[in-house]
């Protein structure tokens, strides 16, 4: 887990509000529980924060709040899905450890940007 003072500012690639639910932990299925999450892409990790309240992508700074959890993107897989939710604009993120998350936004362009940016990080890590 990334501690709140450990996020190197220069590695912050993207931050914003998405709907999130974890659907598996270590390959074991979990009950869905959608909630808004402040999502930050930094270095090799996707970091989730609670209670985004008045955050905006430009005002968010590392150290503002404590991360809820983080995901190592090395070896992770992204897939758009129409089957795993009735919501639109949903993609699944699966980590090498078998943790699975669904991420969603009502805004098409926004979710596409997230998908592309996360995929670029995964591709970069694959080449290392
Ligand atoms: O895959 P599911 O079971 O249809 O997912 C829905 C449930 O998680 C539901 O909660 P309850 O289990 O308390 O009924 C959520 O409210 C829904 O949002 C979930 O479906 P969507 O299609 O929104 O992912």
């Amino acid at each position: 887990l990334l501690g709140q003072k450990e996020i190197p500012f220069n590695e912050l690639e993207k931050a914003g509000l998405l709907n999130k639910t974890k659907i598996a932990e270590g390959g074991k299925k979990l009950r869905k529980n959608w909630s808004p999450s402040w999502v930050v892409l930094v270095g090799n990790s996707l970091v989730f924060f609670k209670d985004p309240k008045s955050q905006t992508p430009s005002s968010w700074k590392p150290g503002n709040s404590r991360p809820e959890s983080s995901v190592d993107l090395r070896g992770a897989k992204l897939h758009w899905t129409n089957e795993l939710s009735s919501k639109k604009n949903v993609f699944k993120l699966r980590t090498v450890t078998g943790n699975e998350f669904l991420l969603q936004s009502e805004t098409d362009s926004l979710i596409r940007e997230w998908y592309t940016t996360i995929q670029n990080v995964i591709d970069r890590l694959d080449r290392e």
Side-chain angles (χ1 to χ4, degrees), residues 21 23 29-34 83-87 90 102:
T21 181
I23 58 165
K29 212 180 161 213
L30 296 176
R31 182 163 182 181
K32 259 191 218 164
N33 183 17
W34 286 102
E83 292 82 43
L84 296 175
S85 174
S86 62
K87 299 181 197 304
V90 178
L102 301 181

Side-chain angles (χ1 to χ4, degrees), residues 43-72:
N44 303 346
S45 299
L46 202 58
V47 189
F48 301 120
F49 293 78
K50 256 187 206 166
D51 197 25
K53 286 198 179 111
S54 61
Q55 306 278 19
T56 63
S58 55
S59 73
W60 188 86
K61 287 176 188 63
N64 270 7
S65 54
R66 182 201 303 264
E68 194 180 24
S69 62
S70 76
V71 167
D72 183 1

